[in-house]
Amino acid sequence: MAARLAQVEGAEHTAMLGLGVYRPARVVTNDEVAGLIDSSDEWIHSRSGIRTRRFASDAETIIEMSAAAGRDALAAAGISPEHVDCVIVATSTWLLLTPAAAPQIATALGMNHPAAFDISAGCAGFCHALAVGSDLVKGGTAKYALVIGVERLTDTVDPTDRGTAFLFADGAGAVVIGPSDEPGIGPTVWGSDGTQHRAIRQDKDWMEFFAEIDEKGLDAVRPYLAMEGTAVFRWAAHSLKTVCLDAIDRAGLTPADIDAMVPHQANGRIIEIMARELKLSQDTALANDIEHTGNTSAASIPLAMEALLRSGETKPGADALLVAFGAGLSYAAQVVKLPNWQ
């Protein structure tokens, strides 16, 4: 008779135990970005809801921003770095194909050789990483996981591109996931639509760029982030209602039970449409961090959670709907209990 493989048991329930963020020091106004795209503060704000955003300096790297956010998340959770078994980094702007950023971040935090890897799901990356981290803790593969969303989008955006230059910015956010006596992370509703893959994309692959260098030399144009804004707006504003309602239902709640909504901070108008479509209570706190932070892709959900908690509009333990969407097109949503924050 063949031997039976031993199994491990994880936590029955998980929760985000602590939250930390890093916002770059430099505040950039609409007037500063408007000149290169023949625009204005009024035009940018009316179309995106953005007034300012943060741009990282050379010293504010993916590693440094992630480590700073991670330290604060660990402090808020009361968890020592050596107790973390896994680090998951959601990013689309770590500009090395290999190695991943996560192992270096774990080392910077003084961790004891945890599993560490990056995931790429565009602006939906944090919600994807949250789902993976929670399942690892439930499965017994990790007792505590550190999930980080981090971007330096200013490294990937053409400052003269009228469709993207005013939208994207930099920052990092992190949460510690661990066992909980009560459910703190609801079931995840996620998916993708590859037919829309060109809506948000790198405008050329690296082999195309290398061939262009061979042909044009110094006149070759490096790859940049490109976006078909109208297609993304229509898809997100009107296609995610079902995803959000499904996540709320799987959590055993109704829209009236939701204390706060923290959508990916893609566009102020999309946020307003989504909240209206869901018919949330008038008392539901709605994250609008895009006004002062811009679109930070995988970092936007944790940054928006922190801003909402810091404002006092909601509190740790509140039931919040998280929903994110981005390149792929990929999407994910879950209802969570908001964490302690640092």
Side-chain angles (χ1 to χ4, degrees):
M1 181 177 178
R4 183 177 180 181
L5 296 177
Q7 300 292 298
V8 295
E9 293 186 4
E12 182 179 2
H13 307 302
T14 60
M16 296 185 292
L17 307 179
L19 166 68
V21 303
Y22 183 86
R23 299 175 187 272
R26 183 183 169 205
V27 177
V28 177
T29 66
N30 286 340
D31 288 332
E32 184 172 343
V33 299
L36 288 173
I37 57 173
D38 189 26
S39 187
S40 67
D41 171 74
E42 180 182 3
W43 186 91
I44 292 171
H45 182 256
S46 67
R47 283 158 178 77
S48 67
I50 299 171
R51 294 191 183 277
T52 61
R53 75 282 288 146
R54 303 290 185 103
F55 283 3
S57 68
D58 290 344
E60 293 169 314
T61 65
I62 293 285
I63 304 299
E64 293 300 324
M65 292 193 295
S66 297
R71 288 188 195 99
D72 283 352
L74 290 163
I79 301 298
S80 299
E82 61 267 23
H83 293 147
V84 173
D85 303 304
C86 184
V87 177
I88 307 172
V89 176
T91 185
S92 55
T93 52
W94 175 247
L95 298 183
L96 288 174
L97 295 177
T98 194
Q104 296 177 61
I105 295 166
T107 296
L109 288 168
M111 293 180 174
N112 187 27
H113 307 296
F117 56 90
D118 299 355
I119 67 170
S120 176
C123 301
F126 179 82
C127 289
H128 278 62
L130 186 65
V132 173
S134 176
D135 285 352
L136 288 172
V137 175
K138 286 181 178 179
T141 305
K143 184 171 183 181
Y144 296 103
L146 179 66
V147 167
I148 300 169
V150 59
E151 303 287 9
R152 276 181 54 112
L153 286 150
T154 48
D155 289 337
T156 65
V157 170
D158 179 354
T160 67
D161 179 3
R162 190 175 174 84
T164 60
F166 65 93
L167 281 173
F168 294 105
D170 307 329
V175 294
V176 177
I177 300 173
S180 174
D181 292 336
E182 298 292 334
I185 301 173
T188 297
V189 178
W190 59 356
S192 64
D193 181 2
T195 66
Q196 302 269 6
H197 70 278
R198 292 189 58 79
I200 308 171
R201 66 190 189 281
Q202 182 174 301
D203 61 5
K204 66 183 74 169
D205 69 35
W206 290 107
M207 295 307 294
E208 289 178 283
F209 178 53
F210 298 149
E212 193 174 314
I213 290 176
D214 290 340
E215 180 183 347
K216 299 181 180 180
L218 295 177
D219 291 329
V221 179
R222 51 156 288 185
Y224 284 113
L225 178 66
M227 183 174 69
E228 297 173 7
T230 300
V232 175
F233 185 95
R234 290 174 178 167
W235 182 85
H238 302 292
S239 300
L240 290 175
K241 177 181 177 181
T242 300
V243 175
C244 292
L245 291 175
D246 195 5
I248 293 170
D249 182 65
R250 291 195 194 185
L253 303 177
T254 69
D257 297 319
I258 300 299
D259 300 313
M261 181 177 177
V262 186
H264 164 50
Q265 304 292 290
N267 182 294
R269 293 161 63 196
I270 293 177
I271 293 169
E272 292 172 2
I273 292 170
M274 290 176 64
R276 186 167 64 246
E277 289 277 314
L278 291 173
K279 295 182 172 60
L280 300 175
S281 165
Q282 62 180 6
D283 297 324
T284 302
L286 182 61
N288 190 37
D289 190 43
I290 191 171
E291 183 175 11
H292 299 297
T293 304
N295 182 340
T296 55
S297 189
S300 82
I301 293 280
L303 286 167
M305 283 197 293
E306 184 271 344
L308 201 59
L309 289 164
R310 176 164 38 86
S311 73
E313 295 178 65
T314 191
K315 297 179 179 179
D319 290 317
L321 171 66
L322 312 183
V323 57
F325 51 92
L329 290 172
S330 299
Y331 57 89
Q334 58 264 110
V335 177
V336 302
K337 298 283 187 184
L338 289 176
N340 296 321
W341 62 284
Q342 179 84 3

